[in-house]
Amino acid sequence: MKKKFYKQALILAFGGVVLFTSFGFKSDFFEIAKQIEIFTTLFKEINMNYVDETSPADLMDTAIKSMLTELDPYTNFWSEQDVQSSRINMEGEYTGIGAALKPDEDFLLITDVYKDYPADKAGLKPGDKITKIGDTKVSDFTEGAQTLLNGSINSEVNITYQRQGKTQQTSIKRSSVELKAVPFYILLEDNSGYVVLSRFNQKAYEETSRAVKDLKSQGADKIILDLRGNPGGLLSEAINVSNIFLDKGELITSTKSVIEKYNKEYYTQKEPIDTKIPLVVLVNGQSASASEIVSGAIQDLDRGVVVGARTFGKGLVQRPKEIAYGTQLKITISRYYTPSGRCIQALDYRKRDENGEAVRTKVEDYNAFKTKNGRTVYDGGGILPDVRLESSEYSSITRALLEKNAIFNYATNYYYQHAVDNPVNYEFSDADFNDFKSYLKTSDFNYKTNTEQELEELLITSQSEGFQQDILDSYKQISAEIDKNKAEELDNKKQEIKSVLQDQIIKHYFYQEGLYKNHVAHSQEIKKAREVLNNPGQYAKILQN
C-alpha cells in the first residue's frame, strides 16, 4: 500500500514539474528540479518508515496548504469539491436545496434560505444546524460535506438538523437553483433607478443591463448601482458592466506581472446603454475585486459619483490552472490597475510583520493619481469614495460581532421570540439594543483589540526577560481600562451596530428581498445617493473637484 502511495507521490511531483514549466521559469530549472527531488524523497521516507501509519493524502494536503500560505490568501489548491463550488458560483446555477451554508466542525450552519426554493419549502430557516445528510454525519467529513446536498433534479435527500436545541428531520426534493447577479431593482418615486448587483458571475452584465433598460423604460432618469457587500468575480463581467455606462473602446483596467503574457489592457467592447445618465455607485468595506474595478473605472473616468466607505482593497488577479484528478490551482498571476494607473491593493504579501501577517500600506505611502477631469485619487488602500459616509464604515467592534456570529445568533433567537409584520416599517429599537447587550454578557462573545494583543506580547517578552512581576500590576490596570472602553464602544457604535442587527433580523423574516425593500426606505447610503443625484450642481461639483 505504501509503495502505491509513493508511486502516486512521484506522479504528483512530476505533474508539478510540468505545471511549473507551463508557467515559464523565473529562476533556474535545476533549482526547481532539485527541490522537487528533495521533497519526493522526504515524502517517500516518511510514508514508508514513520513509526505510525500515515495518511499520504493528508500529509500532501498539509504540505500544499502550508506552502501556499507563504504567498497570499487567494492562491489556493482546489479539490474537486472546491472546483465544483467555484463553477456553481460563477455560472450562477446548480441543482441543490437553495440555501447558503457555513461549515463548522460538527454541522453546516444555514446562514440564508433562498425564497421558494426546496430548503424554504421544507421549512428550513437561517440558524438551523444540519448534522446529518442521509445517513452521513457532517462531523465525519473533514471538508466538503455540503456537496452531499447537491444532486439531480427531483432527487430527494433526508436531512437531520438542530433548531434551538431540538433535533428535527425533513426530506427535501432538489431542484435547479439560480443565483441571481441582480437579485433586486426598483424605480424610486424620484425617478431614480436602484439596482443591486450582488456578484460578478456569468450573468452579471446580462442581468444588470436588462435592469437598467427596464428602469429607463419606466422613466428612470438617474441610476444608483449598489455594489455594497459584492465580493467580486469574473473580470470579463466587470469590464462589461462598466461598458453599460461607458463608451466602447474605453480602458477599464490593465494587469501587470513579471510574466509578460499576463500584461494586458482591457477595453470596453460593446455599445453602451447610456453614457450620460447621472450615476452613483454605492460601495463599502466588503466591496472587492471586480466591484473595485467597476467603481475605480467609474471614478477615474469621472463617469459617476462613488458613495459609501473605502472598499476592501484587493488588487490581485487570479486564474485557475488545471492540475490533475479534477483539482486546480487558483493562482495569483498579476495585479490590476485602474484607468488612472492605480493599484488599490491594500495588503503587501511580500512584506510581513513579526507575526507573519501581511503589512497594510500606510496612508502616508499612498501615491497620487489624476482622474480624467484632473481630480486627485490615491492607490494602496481600496477605492476611497467621493462621498464618504460613517454609516458605511464598520468599526472593529462591529467586525468582531460579525466574525464571531454574535449578530447572526442574536437575530436567530430574536426570530423565534418576536413577530415582525413588515420589512419596510421595521426598525431595531433602543430597547432591542439593550437586550442585545444583555445577550452578549451571557454569550461566549469576546474579542481582542490590537492594543490587547500587543500588551499580551509585551507580558510574554517581560516574562522571558525576568520583568514579569514588575509590569504585571500595570498590565492588569491597563487591561481593566481596555475592558471598560470596550464596553463603552458598544454604546459609541450603537447606530452602526443597530443597523447591522436590523439587516440580519429582516433577512431572517423576509429573505434578501425584504432587506432590499428596507434599505430603500431607510439606508443612509441610498438617501445620500438620491440627494446627490437630485442636485445637479452638487453632482457636477463633485466630479470637477
Side-chain angles (χ1 to χ4, degrees):
M1 180 65 72
K2 288 184 176 180
K3 288 183 178 180
K4 178 181 177 182
F5 282 133
Y6 172 45
K7 181 179 179 181
Q8 290 175 338
L10 288 176
I11 292 172
L12 180 60
F14 177 76
V17 174
V18 174
L19 174 67
F20 281 123
T21 56
S22 69
F23 288 156
F25 287 124
K26 291 175 280 187
S27 59
D28 154 45
F29 173 87
F30 172 75
E31 183 62 24
I32 294 176
K34 171 185 172 183
Q35 297 305 323
I36 290 176
E37 183 179 356
I38 291 172
F39 174 78
T40 53
T41 303
L42 178 146
F43 190 76
K44 177 196 73 172
E45 294 299 334
I46 289 175
N47 283 288
M48 296 188 71
N49 298 300
Y50 189 67
V51 61
D52 295 320
E53 185 74 20
T54 59
S55 169
D58 288 345
L59 284 175
M60 184 63 74
D61 188 61
T62 300
I64 291 172
K65 289 179 179 178
S66 296
M67 174 176 63
L68 297 183
T69 56
E70 293 297 310
L71 301 176
D72 63 64
Y74 312 112
T75 296
N76 295 311
F77 170 72
W78 279 356
S79 64
E80 290 180 85
Q81 292 86 357
D82 295 329
V83 173
Q84 176 71 1
S85 296
S86 175
R87 183 191 64 78
I88 289 170
N89 192 42
M90 290 301 102
E91 292 182 358
E93 192 170 330
Y94 69 101
T95 301
I97 67 170
L101 304 165
K102 183 177 182 180
D104 201 289
E105 288 185 7
D106 299 321
F107 57 83
L108 296 173
L109 176 66
I110 297 180
T111 59
D112 207 354
V113 174
Y114 306 143
K115 186 177 180 180
D116 295 331
Y117 282 112
D120 183 35
K121 293 177 179 178
L124 293 179
K125 302 292 182 183
D128 290 346
K129 300 173 181 177
I130 299 175
T131 55
K132 286 180 66 178
I133 303 171
D135 296 325
T136 304
K137 292 182 179 179
V138 173
S139 58
D140 290 341
F141 269 70
T142 54
E143 59 182 29
Q146 58 266 43
T147 59
L148 297 176
L149 295 171
N150 299 335
S152 58
I153 292 178
N154 292 327
S155 62
E156 292 194 2
V157 57
N158 296 317
I159 290 174
T160 303
Y161 62 97
Q162 290 184 351
R163 174 181 294 171
Q164 299 288 284
K166 296 180 181 180
T167 300
Q168 303 185 44
Q169 292 183 324
T170 189
S171 180
I172 301 178
K173 183 177 289 187
R174 300 179 178 97
S175 75
S176 177
V177 179
E178 182 183 5
L179 301 177
K180 291 186 176 180
V182 177
F184 183 84
Y185 70 90
I186 190 173
L187 180 68
L188 306 180
E189 63 273 11
D190 63 352
N191 287 332
S192 293
Y194 174 65
V195 182
V196 177
L197 176 53
S198 63
R199 66 187 76 213
F200 284 88
N201 60 21
Q202 292 178 359
K203 300 179 180 181
Y205 168 74
E206 175 189 343
E207 293 183 16
T208 307
S209 58
R210 186 189 307 136
V212 171
K213 289 177 181 177
D214 188 18
L215 289 167
K216 282 171 60 68
S217 72
Q218 295 179 48
D221 55 17
K222 40 196 171 291
I223 295 291
I224 302 170
L225 180 64
D226 195 342
L227 299 180
R228 290 177 296 173
N230 186 321
L234 296 172
L235 172 62
S236 58
E237 291 299 294
I239 307 301
N240 289 336
V241 168
S242 301
N243 201 168
I244 292 172
F245 306 104
L246 292 165
D247 281 320
K248 183 178 180 180
E250 288 278 11
L251 175 67
I252 301 300
T253 188
S254 57
T255 57
K256 298 179 183 179
S257 171
V258 294
I259 302 172
E260 187 174 350
K261 68 178 180 178
Y262 295 138
N263 296 333
K264 294 185 178 181
E265 292 182 333
Y266 295 86
Y267 295 85
T268 51
Q269 301 291 322
K270 303 175 182 290
E271 293 300 327
I273 293 175
D274 196 325
T275 63
K276 302 298 183 182
I277 191 168
L279 172 67
V280 164
V281 179
L282 300 182
V283 296
N284 63 10
Q286 286 74 50
S287 305
S289 189
S291 293
E292 295 173 298
I293 289 175
V294 172
S295 55
I298 296 298
Q299 186 178 61
D300 279 7
L301 298 172
D302 296 303
R303 175 59 188 85
V305 174
V306 180
V307 172
R310 187 187 293 277
T311 60
F312 184 82
K314 180 179 181 289
L316 304 176
V317 180
Q318 287 74 44
R319 176 175 293 180
K321 295 284 186 178
E322 301 287 342
I323 302 180
Y325 301 106
T327 64
Q328 289 183 357
L329 173 67
K330 191 184 78 162
I331 184 171
T332 298
I333 60 169
S334 58
R335 292 178 176 82
Y336 74 78
Y337 296 77
T338 67
S340 68
R342 293 183 286 167
C343 181
I344 50 81
Q345 177 65 26
L347 294 174
D348 189 344
Y349 296 101
R350 296 164 296 184
K351 299 177 182 177
R352 306 274 177 164
D353 60 20
E354 60 275 10
N355 298 316
E357 300 293 331
V359 175
R360 181 172 292 276
T361 305
K362 297 179 181 178
V363 175
E364 55 267 28
D365 293 329
Y366 290 174
N367 298 299
F369 295 81
K370 294 295 183 180
T371 69
K372 188 175 183 179
N373 289 342
R375 295 187 297 147
T376 301
V377 289
Y378 297 91
D379 66 359
I383 302 298
L384 182 66
D386 304 309
V387 179
R388 295 180 64 180
L389 293 178
E390 190 174 331
S391 58
S392 299
E393 298 176 358
Y394 287 174
S395 61
S396 58
I397 180 69
T398 303
R399 287 194 297 270
L401 289 167
L402 287 168
E403 290 169 3
K404 296 182 180 295
N405 280 345
I407 285 175
F408 180 85
N409 292 337
Y410 178 82
T412 300
N413 292 339
Y414 189 99
Y415 174 81
Y416 292 105
Q417 296 170 6
H418 299 80
V420 177
D421 299 324
N422 190 305
V424 176
N425 299 329
Y426 174 74
E427 289 191 60
F428 191 75
S429 69
D430 288 346
D432 290 332
F433 184 73
N434 289 333
D435 184 63
F436 174 67
K437 291 197 296 182
S438 298
Y439 164 80
L440 290 181
K441 292 177 182 178
T442 61
S443 72
D444 58 357
F445 172 72
N446 190 25
Y447 81 104
K448 291 181 181 179
T449 64
N450 291 334
T451 303
E452 285 178 297
Q453 293 174 355
E454 291 175 4
L455 277 173
E456 288 183 2
E457 292 171 8
L458 176 63
L459 187 63
I460 293 171
T461 302
S462 67
Q463 184 178 12
S464 66
E465 294 179 351
F467 297 118
Q468 182 183 13
Q469 195 57 48
D470 294 340
I471 70 166
L472 187 57
D473 291 340
S474 297
Y475 172 82
K476 290 180 178 178
Q477 183 178 351
I478 296 173
S479 294
E481 189 65 28
I482 290 174
D483 287 338
K484 179 183 175 183
N485 289 337
K486 284 165 66 175
E488 292 175 350
E489 190 176 10
L490 276 171
D491 288 319
N492 293 338
K493 301 299 180 181
K494 177 179 175 179
Q495 294 307 317
E496 176 184 304
I497 296 170
K498 280 179 62 177
S499 176
V500 179
L501 279 161
Q502 179 169 306
D503 284 358
Q504 189 60 66
I505 288 169
I506 288 173
K507 283 203 298 181
H508 271 64
Y509 287 93
F510 304 106
Y511 313 91
Q512 287 283 353
E513 182 181 358
L515 176 62
Y516 300 134
K517 290 179 178 178
N518 184 271
H519 280 180
V520 167
H522 301 289
S523 167
Q524 294 302 311
E525 291 81 3
I526 295 176
K527 288 180 181 178
K528 188 63 180 181
R530 295 172 71 176
E531 174 191 317
V532 170
L533 288 170
N534 286 312
N535 188 332
Q538 181 184 5
Y539 181 84
K541 184 178 180 181
I542 292 171
L543 294 179
Q544 293 298 328
N545 288 343

